[in-house]
Amino acid sequence: MTLRAATCLLAALLSLWLLFAAQVARAAGPVGPANSPASLQVLHWWTSSGERKAVDVLSNKLAEQNIQWRDFAIPGGAGIGAGKVLKSMVLAGHAPEVTQLNGVIFGEWADLGLLLELDNVAAQGNWQKLLFPTVWSLLNNHGHVVAAPLGIHRINNLYYNIAVFNRLGLSVPRSWDEFDKVAAKLKQAGIAPLAQSSESWQVATLFETLVLSEGGPAYYRQLFVDLSPRAFADARLLRALKRLRELKQVMQLPVKERPWTEVARQLADGEAGMFIMGDWAKGDFNAWGLSVDQQFGCTAVPGTADYHLYSIDTLAMFADDYSHQPAQEVLAQIAMSPAVQSDYNKFKGAIPVWRSPDTGKMDSCSQNSWRVFSKGSAYLAPSLVHRMATDETTKDAIVAELRRFFVDDQISEAEAQRRLASIARALSRTGKVE
């Protein structure tokens, strides 16, 4: 490494540390009453327009109980940056009282004995009866409830700009053949057919929808939950990789690495005709003054209309010395209250975790999400990218390999499949080929 390169690296590391230190200082707030049990430091990555409105619902409800929400927001899609900051804070002995944790990872924190058990809150609130079984199962770790649920996101959504589609006389694509025809007409009109970023988690989010389209939920779970070597050798994985490469040709080239909010804005402004992303994008469209079925449409990715690729928002509480337990339990109760379930998810773009919410308050996109999720586990696929399917190490390895394939056109689909299969063999529970 040259002296210049080493200097740049040290400067970059110093900048990251100063940013982290400043975030911690701002979140910690003044010494005194703000650090009493009547305040909660909350670490999360909800920073977009729609997400901030959803956070305000929670913080305002908490304030009504005379408890201060001390916001500690870490920018970055899929919580990659927030996860690193959280680990640093815990190792330094400064764990936040509350943190956003999605998926199986909070079970790992619970196994370390760090999370507050919410059994009493759950029992008093009758959570097991109110919640979808999939959500209830996720919250439980060795018989104890270790997180409070907020909402359910559907990831396999295809958004389209209604004004652009109407002007060009396009129909909503229900199959990949129809999608290809629509893409060709958009391209001919000088409009990017599909908005996309080359950011690793966004590439992998697109890809996992393609896997669901090719193989359905059962195959998806064999691949990303079971890490079955046989599933990684399956022709359906190869077809999904080929589809990903084909879709790259209807994106704006070169595909730049951009935040998902910028990619969503491309669709909203009519610079792109279609966009595949989780329904948190709908939350931002709404925050920008756009409405489903008016300015933008929301349908399932071709081949996935009967399936639900899901991620579930949850809040976990660090136990520490239990001095914050009363306030933490109040927040857990608030998260499950009817008003918060309705308002939070309206702004977030998600659906309530309740089995029987007020569907009359949902838009058509949310109603469809709720209808499919209600069909049960056979129709559900836990998102790999958003930590619902497997551990962090496995997720990171697969996501990195998918991005490498996406940006490097010299890597063949067959080679990418072989590399993914090698990862599966290395990280699977048995390490044996079935």
PDB file of all heavy atoms in Angstrom, residues 30 59 78 177 194 206 244 305 320 365 405 423 425:
ATOM      1  N   PRO A  30     -28.300  15.306  27.122  1.00  0.00           N
ATOM      2  CA  PRO A  30     -27.695  15.880  28.324  1.00  0.00           C
ATOM      3  C   PRO A  30     -27.774  14.928  29.498  1.00  0.00           C
ATOM      4  O   PRO A  30     -28.663  14.092  29.584  1.00  0.00           O
ATOM      5  CB  PRO A  30     -28.537  17.139  28.574  1.00  0.00           C
ATOM      6  CG  PRO A  30     -29.860  16.819  27.949  1.00  0.00           C
ATOM      7  CD  PRO A  30     -29.559  15.979  26.753  1.00  0.00           C
ATOM      8  N   SER A  59     -42.945   7.961  18.512  1.00  0.00           N
ATOM      9  CA  SER A  59     -42.384   8.906  19.480  1.00  0.00           C
ATOM     10  C   SER A  59     -43.464   9.789  20.098  1.00  0.00           C
ATOM     11  O   SER A  59     -43.410  10.107  21.300  1.00  0.00           O
ATOM     12  CB  SER A  59     -41.307   9.768  18.812  1.00  0.00           C
ATOM     13  OG  SER A  59     -41.843  10.539  17.762  1.00  0.00           O
ATOM     14  N   ALA A  78     -31.343  -1.239   4.481  1.00  0.00           N
ATOM     15  CA  ALA A  78     -31.274  -2.602   5.021  1.00  0.00           C
ATOM     16  C   ALA A  78     -30.578  -2.670   6.375  1.00  0.00           C
ATOM     17  O   ALA A  78     -30.273  -3.755   6.870  1.00  0.00           O
ATOM     18  CB  ALA A  78     -30.585  -3.546   4.032  1.00  0.00           C
ATOM     19  N   ASP A 177     -43.069 -12.526 -20.022  1.00  0.00           N
ATOM     20  CA  ASP A 177     -43.210 -12.202 -21.447  1.00  0.00           C
ATOM     21  C   ASP A 177     -43.852 -10.831 -21.611  1.00  0.00           C
ATOM     22  O   ASP A 177     -43.407 -10.010 -22.420  1.00  0.00           O
ATOM     23  CB  ASP A 177     -44.052 -13.272 -22.159  1.00  0.00           C
ATOM     24  CG  ASP A 177     -43.281 -14.557 -22.385  1.00  0.00           C
ATOM     25  OD1 ASP A 177     -42.033 -14.510 -22.317  1.00  0.00           O
ATOM     26  OD2 ASP A 177     -43.918 -15.603 -22.628  1.00  0.00           O
ATOM     27  N   LEU A 194     -36.732  -0.108 -16.155  1.00  0.00           N
ATOM     28  CA  LEU A 194     -36.682  -0.567 -14.769  1.00  0.00           C
ATOM     29  C   LEU A 194     -35.666   0.250 -13.983  1.00  0.00           C
ATOM     30  O   LEU A 194     -34.476   0.270 -14.315  1.00  0.00           O
ATOM     31  CB  LEU A 194     -36.308  -2.054 -14.702  1.00  0.00           C
ATOM     32  CG  LEU A 194     -36.334  -2.715 -13.318  1.00  0.00           C
ATOM     33  CD1 LEU A 194     -37.745  -2.729 -12.746  1.00  0.00           C
ATOM     34  CD2 LEU A 194     -35.775  -4.140 -13.389  1.00  0.00           C
ATOM     35  N   LEU A 206     -33.759  -7.529  -5.402  1.00  0.00           N
ATOM     36  CA  LEU A 206     -34.331  -7.852  -6.710  1.00  0.00           C
ATOM     37  C   LEU A 206     -34.186  -9.344  -6.998  1.00  0.00           C
ATOM     38  O   LEU A 206     -35.136  -9.999  -7.438  1.00  0.00           O
ATOM     39  CB  LEU A 206     -33.638  -7.028  -7.796  1.00  0.00           C
ATOM     40  CG  LEU A 206     -33.987  -7.376  -9.243  1.00  0.00           C
ATOM     41  CD1 LEU A 206     -35.475  -7.186  -9.516  1.00  0.00           C
ATOM     42  CD2 LEU A 206     -33.151  -6.540 -10.214  1.00  0.00           C
ATOM     43  N   LEU A 244     -31.937 -12.129 -13.901  1.00  0.00           N
ATOM     44  CA  LEU A 244     -31.290 -10.944 -13.342  1.00  0.00           C
ATOM     45  C   LEU A 244     -30.414 -10.267 -14.382  1.00  0.00           C
ATOM     46  O   LEU A 244     -30.431  -9.037 -14.533  1.00  0.00           O
ATOM     47  CB  LEU A 244     -30.455 -11.326 -12.118  1.00  0.00           C
ATOM     48  CG  LEU A 244     -29.698 -10.181 -11.434  1.00  0.00           C
ATOM     49  CD1 LEU A 244     -30.663  -9.121 -10.897  1.00  0.00           C
ATOM     50  CD2 LEU A 244     -28.820 -10.716 -10.300  1.00  0.00           C
ATOM     51  N   ALA A 305     -47.735 -13.487  -7.710  1.00  0.00           N
ATOM     52  CA  ALA A 305     -49.000 -12.893  -7.246  1.00  0.00           C
ATOM     53  C   ALA A 305     -49.588 -13.619  -6.041  1.00  0.00           C
ATOM     54  O   ALA A 305     -50.239 -13.000  -5.187  1.00  0.00           O
ATOM     55  CB  ALA A 305     -50.014 -12.869  -8.387  1.00  0.00           C
ATOM     56  N   ASP A 320     -29.881  -4.563  30.302  1.00  0.00           N
ATOM     57  CA  ASP A 320     -28.918  -3.821  31.120  1.00  0.00           C
ATOM     58  C   ASP A 320     -29.211  -4.062  32.603  1.00  0.00           C
ATOM     59  O   ASP A 320     -29.264  -5.202  33.054  1.00  0.00           O
ATOM     60  CB  ASP A 320     -28.959  -2.340  30.755  1.00  0.00           C
ATOM     61  CG  ASP A 320     -27.756  -1.574  31.301  1.00  0.00           C
ATOM     62  OD1 ASP A 320     -26.713  -2.206  31.528  1.00  0.00           O
ATOM     63  OD2 ASP A 320     -27.869  -0.360  31.497  1.00  0.00           O
ATOM     64  N   CYS A 365     -52.919  -1.720  -2.406  1.00  0.00           N
ATOM     65  CA  CYS A 365     -51.640  -2.430  -2.321  1.00  0.00           C
ATOM     66  C   CYS A 365     -51.527  -3.160  -0.980  1.00  0.00           C
ATOM     67  O   CYS A 365     -51.139  -4.329  -0.924  1.00  0.00           O
ATOM     68  CB  CYS A 365     -50.491  -1.448  -2.500  1.00  0.00           C
ATOM     69  SG  CYS A 365     -48.863  -2.212  -2.683  1.00  0.00           S
ATOM     70  N   PHE A 405     -21.653 -10.801  -9.264  1.00  0.00           N
ATOM     71  CA  PHE A 405     -22.194 -11.296 -10.533  1.00  0.00           C
ATOM     72  C   PHE A 405     -22.895 -10.172 -11.297  1.00  0.00           C
ATOM     73  O   PHE A 405     -22.747 -10.051 -12.520  1.00  0.00           O
ATOM     74  CB  PHE A 405     -23.177 -12.434 -10.251  1.00  0.00           C
ATOM     75  CG  PHE A 405     -24.044 -12.807 -11.416  1.00  0.00           C
ATOM     76  CD1 PHE A 405     -23.531 -13.498 -12.506  1.00  0.00           C
ATOM     77  CD2 PHE A 405     -25.400 -12.457 -11.433  1.00  0.00           C
ATOM     78  CE1 PHE A 405     -24.332 -13.833 -13.595  1.00  0.00           C
ATOM     79  CE2 PHE A 405     -26.205 -12.788 -12.502  1.00  0.00           C
ATOM     80  CZ  PHE A 405     -25.672 -13.474 -13.589  1.00  0.00           C
ATOM     81  N   ILE A 423     -20.671 -21.504  -1.353  1.00  0.00           N
ATOM     82  CA  ILE A 423     -21.001 -20.789  -0.114  1.00  0.00           C
ATOM     83  C   ILE A 423     -21.969 -21.614   0.720  1.00  0.00           C
ATOM     84  O   ILE A 423     -21.816 -21.745   1.942  1.00  0.00           O
ATOM     85  CB  ILE A 423     -21.599 -19.410  -0.436  1.00  0.00           C
ATOM     86  CG1 ILE A 423     -20.533 -18.503  -1.043  1.00  0.00           C
ATOM     87  CG2 ILE A 423     -22.205 -18.767   0.811  1.00  0.00           C
ATOM     88  CD1 ILE A 423     -21.077 -17.185  -1.572  1.00  0.00           C
ATOM     89  N   ARG A 425     -22.449 -24.853   0.716  1.00  0.00           N
ATOM     90  CA  ARG A 425     -21.784 -26.026   1.299  1.00  0.00           C
ATOM     91  C   ARG A 425     -20.929 -25.637   2.500  1.00  0.00           C
ATOM     92  O   ARG A 425     -20.871 -26.346   3.506  1.00  0.00           O
ATOM     93  CB  ARG A 425     -20.919 -26.726   0.248  1.00  0.00           C
ATOM     94  CG  ARG A 425     -21.705 -27.533  -0.762  1.00  0.00           C
ATOM     95  CD  ARG A 425     -20.780 -28.465  -1.534  1.00  0.00           C
ATOM     96  NE  ARG A 425     -19.789 -27.717  -2.316  1.00  0.00           N
ATOM     97  CZ  ARG A 425     -19.993 -27.274  -3.544  1.00  0.00           C
ATOM     98  NH1 ARG A 425     -21.151 -27.498  -4.151  1.00  0.00           N
ATOM     99  NH2 ARG A 425     -19.039 -26.620  -4.188  1.00  0.00           N
TER     100      ARG A 425
END
